[in-house]
Amino acid sequence: MRVRTGITIAWLALALSSPLAQPLAAAEFEFLPDHPGGFSATATASNVPVRKLSKADAAAFKKKLEQLRNLLAKQPVLQAPKGVEIIGYFRPLDEFPSAQNLPVPGFGYLRFHFYHRAKNGKAVRICCTTDEIHASINDPDQSFEVYGSRDFATKTFYEPDLVGQVDGFPLYRTAGGDELLVFSRGTARPWLPVTREEYVRAWLTFWQKQLQESVPQDTITPEIVRHHQQALAQMKPEERSMQARSLTWDVYEPTLAPVGSAEGRPLVRVNPDWFDPSLPRSAVQLLILRFSTTGLMDPIQPGPSKTGSVSAYRVWQALHSSNWREVSTVLTTR
């Protein structure tokens, strides 16, 4: 879960992203894009959930986190950063899976703090930043935007757009503009489409429960249930397995885009067979790196912002100039 100091971050994002605030930002900060930066990131497995692991598994997972940290630190933009101080950490998730065969889930951040000149003339780094690389380890649930309904058998997510490949690894873009680079071992897909039938059945179950709890004067919920039952009964066999695309809300009908339409947002769910249960729990079987920026950088012509900030640009450079084949060696192989 992303944790941020809300007031400070919200102010900083507004001050630096608003066109009206650009003169203020330029006056407030004299950015130092060539100032020698640094990289530091801790790797730990000392949080409470690790107690559920054997000492051997905990130690092995910590070594994997250290390996990931070290592989990232070797990449040119991170090894000798300019204009930014990169600070981060890697650790297991607090929400530990109850299933004993699931790989240990972890996460981490590398945050890019830009340098600027203080009033006393010294170079200092900003305290907070939204330019970052977030790592999701063995956790298909972390990086995608969760769909609003919690009534599916497994969590459901909005599928981001597949926009290309980097070093042979799929690159996705979320609706919010973040980019996701996905590394997985084996051939099992981490996510599966939510079908139109699954979608309608899930909502039908939800509304049937609402009907059981409704008052006698409720005339709307029975109609909603009837419309969902009718939609399911009239669904053609070939339509049932098509991927569901969530569209705008309708009071009575299932909120599905029409068959064959590109409207709406496609939905996916976690593939329960995404991992190899024969591997130790400490194995890294899935890594998702999410690249997030403030939006100050022009994606068509990447470079420093108009005010001179390079933190977003350094995140972009890390994505497009790193040796991801080398980083992918953190994935456990037999």
Side-chain angles (χ1 to χ4, degrees), residues 127-333:
C127 69
C128 310
T129 178
T130 53
D131 296 317
E132 65 189 28
I133 300 173
H134 172 265
S136 301
I137 304 156
N138 291 338
D139 189 5
D141 292 9
Q142 262 196 78
S143 289
F144 285 8
E145 182 185 351
V146 178
Y147 172 65
S149 174
R150 297 283 183 171
D151 293 279
F152 290 90
T154 58
K155 283 185 180 180
T156 303
F157 308 89
Y158 291 111
E159 183 178 16
D161 294 329
L162 180 63
V163 294
Q165 291 187 343
V166 179
D167 279 356
F169 301 101
L171 181 68
Y172 297 86
R173 183 172 294 123
T174 69
D178 290 352
E179 292 184 293
L180 307 175
L181 193 58
V182 178
F183 308 82
S184 59
R185 65 172 308 282
T187 57
R189 298 172 60 188
W191 309 280
L192 297 174
V194 172
T195 68
R196 293 175 68 88
E197 182 176 9
E198 288 172 329
Y199 185 90
V200 177
R201 285 191 184 279
W203 276 112
L204 176 58
T205 299
F206 171 83
W207 287 115
Q208 286 174 330
K209 183 179 178 182
Q210 297 300 305
L211 182 59
Q212 292 174 356
E213 300 171 356
S214 66
V215 296
Q217 294 83 0
D218 180 5
T219 60
I220 296 178
T221 306
E223 282 299 300
I224 295 175
V225 170
R226 186 178 68 82
H227 278 261
H228 279 66
Q229 289 173 329
Q230 186 177 40
L232 194 61
Q234 294 176 348
M235 192 177 294
K236 297 178 180 179
E238 62 271 18
E239 295 176 14
R240 293 178 180 269
S241 60
M242 293 179 180
Q243 185 173 16
R245 301 182 70 93
S246 175
L247 199 54
T248 53
W249 180 257
D250 186 290
V251 176
Y252 295 105
E253 301 290 342
T255 54
L256 278 173
V259 173
S261 171
E263 293 182 288
R265 300 180 64 184
L267 298 173
V268 293
R269 58 183 174 84
V270 174
N271 178 1
D273 299 319
W274 69 266
F275 65 98
D276 183 348
S278 68
L279 292 175
R281 298 192 70 188
S282 58
V284 174
Q285 302 197 46
L286 178 66
L287 171 65
I288 306 169
L289 297 179
R290 184 178 70 227
F291 299 80
S292 303
T293 64
T294 53
L296 292 178
M297 187 192 72
D298 182 354
I300 306 300
Q301 295 180 318
S305 72
K306 293 180 179 179
T307 59
S309 173
V310 293
S311 51
Y313 183 43
R314 296 291 181 250
V315 174
W316 183 91
Q317 285 180 312
L319 170 59
H320 292 280
S321 67
S322 297
N323 183 347
W324 297 117
R325 284 288 174 188
E326 182 179 37
V327 174
S328 72
T329 60
V330 73
L331 296 175
T332 301
T333 56

